[in-house]
Amino acid sequence: MNQEFSALLHNGTWSLVSLPTHANIVGCRWIYKIKRKADGAIERYKARLVAKGFHLREGVDFSETFSPVIKHATIQLVISIAVTYKWPIKQLDVQNAFLHGDLHENVFMLQPRGYVHPQYPNHVCKLHKSLYGLRQAPRSWFSKLSTKLMSLGFSESKADTSLFVLQKFNSVIYIIIYVDDILITGSSASVINNIIHSLQTTFAVKDLGSLAYFLGVEALWCTDGMYLTQRKYIVDLLKRSKMENAKPCTSPMASNYRLTFTDGTPFEDISLYRSIVGSMQYLAFTRPDLAFVVHKVSKFMHNPLDTHWQAVKRILRYLKHSISTGLFITGNVNFTLQAFSDSDWAADRDDRRSVGAYCIYMGSNLVSWSCKQQPTVTRSNTEAEYKAIANAAAELIWFKSILRELGLSPQHSPTLWCDNIGATYLTSNPKFHARTKHIEIDVHFVRDQVYNKELVVQFISSKNQLADALT
């Protein structure tokens, strides 16, 4: 707490002023956390002063908000490129990141508990720098960091605003930002070190070395590539749900098991259900095998039943069985994109909506996947499959745009594989039939991509359909 308070004073975070008339006063509190390493060992004890952001009034104390969160697909894409070219990947941590952001609104806060000035006990803190807990703090920090990176020659990606690219001096450098955690990789180790040194002159940046543990994901280097696993996260999840001694299970859900809103009695501990299922959603970062089952149990967050909790416990038993399973990223020089799309027509027994899914590969690396319920009811299997094709096509277009910004434009058009012949024919049929007018937008969107040779849609047998595992 003393170190945190000294850092706040040294940074000029606030100045003590008399209590203004009719001013909104924001409270604050201390937050304590034990930071641990990937093996569970204690790294350090951390205390942080946090403002009570719920006291802020929109339009008075803050206006716009934004949080610099990189997309998971972008992280996997950049890591795949770095592993392919055997580039170094360094991890940076910005200490007290939000304190570097400049505050443009007049915000007044109570003095921190235990550190009230003895001569001015009735004064309040007028904030000059952003503080953790303020609604505008992430936006202020990101604005300060992005301005610094652009002064160093970086350009902000249009496809993902938390990705910055530098291309000069015959070298390429990528920086990805997740709030105050930063990954930097590129073709020149000396340029990377120079950039880190430049950032250290402005911010309190700590070089954590090569990528090892990032956002709860453990990165294990090997000769053929990199293995991403969330083993520690799963162990903590099993302990929190008191399932660490449960009997392991080889599958996350029975193939013929159907969950509905009506079969069962209300589950007593709704908070526990929401907490565990919400934690499972973060496992989708490295576990595509959980996408379908987590999607199923997430539909009942508002009113879970005992049958839903039994399904969650089965997933936890499966996690114990596959606790070290993760995502392997191999080094390859093939940047060709291909996607697999599939759907489960009228799968939901409650509203008969279909489930659409896709998975996207860059070379042999799986870089993106999705399993979502379609927003409208489809009247045929072909329609459901075509909606899944449209979603996969949109994701492929996004990948092509971000690859161009990274200087790696694909030489060939992406291939999209579908196991429905009717939907495949619709993508290239120049005639627009009356039976497809209710999905006119999706049809024209995909057909234009095929006509302009930006996309190739081909048929694949259901036994070779990789996206089938997500539906």
Side-chain angles (χ1 to χ4, degrees):
M1 291 170 65
N2 291 332
Q3 293 176 356
E4 174 79 0
F5 188 74
S6 298
L8 293 172
L9 295 181
H10 181 266
N11 196 45
T13 307
W14 64 66
S15 58
L16 293 178
V17 297
S18 301
L19 180 63
T21 307
H22 306 299
N24 183 36
I25 307 301
V26 179
C28 62
R29 61 171 297 185
W30 290 97
I31 301 293
Y32 309 99
K33 188 175 182 180
I34 299 177
K35 303 287 285 188
R36 298 182 182 272
K37 301 178 182 178
D39 57 359
I42 295 177
E43 182 180 359
R44 69 182 187 274
Y45 297 93
K46 190 172 185 178
R48 174 167 287 166
L49 183 66
V50 178
K52 295 182 179 180
F54 54 86
H55 288 165
L56 297 175
R57 296 176 300 180
E58 185 175 2
V60 178
D61 301 311
F62 72 96
S63 54
E64 297 183 15
T65 60
F66 172 75
S67 183
V69 177
I70 193 78
K71 295 180 180 179
H72 286 173
T74 306
I75 298 177
Q76 290 159 353
L77 180 64
V78 171
I79 291 179
S80 296
I81 296 172
V83 170
T84 297
Y85 290 120
K86 295 182 171 55
W87 291 346
I89 307 177
K90 286 203 168 185
Q91 182 178 351
L92 308 178
D93 179 55
V94 183
Q95 299 176 358
N96 297 318
F98 287 4
L99 305 185
H100 296 283
D102 296 322
L103 207 58
H104 302 291
E105 299 86 1
N106 290 324
V107 179
F108 300 93
M109 184 186 74
L110 295 175
Q111 297 189 48
R113 184 178 180 182
Y115 294 88
V116 177
H117 199 288
Q119 297 180 4
Y120 308 103
N122 296 323
H123 280 43
V124 295
C125 303
K126 181 180 180 181
L127 298 181
H128 306 296
K129 302 283 187 178
S130 59
L131 197 67
Y132 285 90
L134 296 179
R135 302 286 184 88
Q136 63 268 49
R139 186 174 183 269
S140 301
W141 151 243
F142 183 75
S143 176
K144 192 75 173 285
L145 177 60
S146 59
T147 302
K148 175 64 177 181
L149 291 176
M150 289 180 181
S151 68
L152 296 177
F154 281 87
S155 59
E156 187 180 41
S157 169
K158 296 180 180 179
D160 193 337
T161 55
S162 295
L163 169 67
F164 291 82
V165 182
L166 173 66
Q167 296 183 8
K168 66 178 183 179
F169 305 127
N170 297 323
S171 61
V172 180
I173 307 296
Y174 305 145
I175 287 183
I176 57 180
I177 302 169
Y178 194 100
V179 190
D180 57 352
D181 292 310
I182 301 175
L183 289 184
I184 179 170
T185 183
S187 57
S188 175
S190 59
V191 175
I192 291 176
N193 292 330
N194 291 336
I195 292 172
I196 294 176
H197 179 71
S198 298
L199 291 175
Q200 289 174 336
T201 59
T202 306
F203 310 110
V205 176
K206 183 178 180 181
D207 187 354
L208 302 179
S210 297
L211 175 62
Y213 191 68
F214 183 71
L215 304 178
V217 179
E218 189 175 358
L220 305 176
W221 294 82
C222 56
T223 56
D224 299 330
M226 179 184 291
Y227 186 67
L228 301 178
T229 178
Q230 293 174 276
R231 187 181 185 280
K232 179 183 178 298
Y233 186 86
I234 295 175
V235 170
D236 295 339
L237 179 60
L238 291 174
K239 290 181 179 178
R240 186 149 52 90
S241 58
K242 299 180 181 180
M243 293 286 288
E244 65 270 24
N245 297 321
K247 182 179 179 181
C249 183
T250 57
S251 63
M253 182 177 287
S255 58
N256 59 350
Y257 195 61
R258 299 288 182 179
L259 297 175
T260 66
F261 288 108
T262 56
D263 294 342
T265 58
F267 183 59
E268 296 179 355
D269 196 344
I270 298 179
S271 298
L272 175 63
Y273 185 93
R274 293 172 178 171
S275 174
I276 299 301
V277 175
S279 299
M280 285 181 177
Q281 292 176 353
Y282 189 70
L283 284 173
F285 183 76
T286 61
R287 299 292 297 269
D289 56 327
L290 297 175
F292 174 73
V293 291
V294 173
H295 156 74
K296 281 293 184 183
V297 296
S298 297
K299 292 166 55 178
F300 310 102
M301 298 276 270
H302 63 289
N303 187 26
L305 305 178
D306 58 346
T307 53
H308 306 151
W309 178 245
Q310 292 300 322
V312 171
K313 291 175 69 174
R314 167 119 183 198
I315 299 174
L316 292 170
R317 291 170 56 201
Y318 171 72
L319 287 175
K320 186 175 182 181
H321 168 75
S322 58
I323 193 169
S324 297
T325 301
L327 189 67
F328 183 70
I329 298 178
T330 181
N332 64 80
V333 293
N334 182 9
F335 294 106
T336 302
L337 294 171
Q338 59 177 337
F340 299 82
S341 71
D342 196 14
S343 71
D344 190 4
W345 180 47
D348 196 312
R349 288 188 175 182
D350 294 306
D351 55 16
R352 287 303 175 185
R353 294 185 183 181
S354 305
V355 175
Y358 64 79
C359 56
I360 296 179
Y361 284 81
M362 187 180 71
S364 59
N365 290 334
L366 179 62
V367 292
S368 179
W369 58 89
S370 174
C371 173
K372 291 184 179 180
Q373 189 176 44
Q374 294 179 353
T376 57
V377 178
T378 53
R379 298 195 295 175
S380 68
N381 187 25
T382 299
E383 181 183 343
E385 292 280 357
Y386 206 94
K387 286 183 176 291
I389 289 177
N391 292 333
E395 188 75 358
L396 283 172
I397 293 173
W398 179 82
F399 266 102
K400 287 180 62 178
S401 65
I402 198 171
L403 281 173
R404 280 194 292 268
E405 292 181 332
L406 296 175
L408 299 168
S409 299
Q411 297 179 352
H412 305 285
S413 298
T415 303
L416 200 160
W417 301 93
C418 174
D419 60 358
N420 185 282
I421 296 179
T424 305
Y425 286 165
L426 274 177
T427 61
S428 56
N429 189 352
K431 288 189 176 182
F432 192 78
H433 297 287
R435 67 187 181 201
T436 60
K437 63 183 179 182
H438 52 288
I439 54 170
E440 181 177 354
I441 295 177
D442 286 335
V443 169
H444 280 306
F445 171 71
V446 177
R447 190 176 296 164
D448 286 347
Q449 299 299 318
V450 174
Y451 178 79
N452 296 326
K453 297 183 179 180
E454 297 288 336
L455 179 67
V456 178
V457 181
Q458 293 187 1
F459 175 78
I460 190 174
S461 174
S462 296
K463 65 179 180 181
N464 297 322
Q465 175 60 274
L466 299 181
D468 186 55
L470 302 177
T471 58

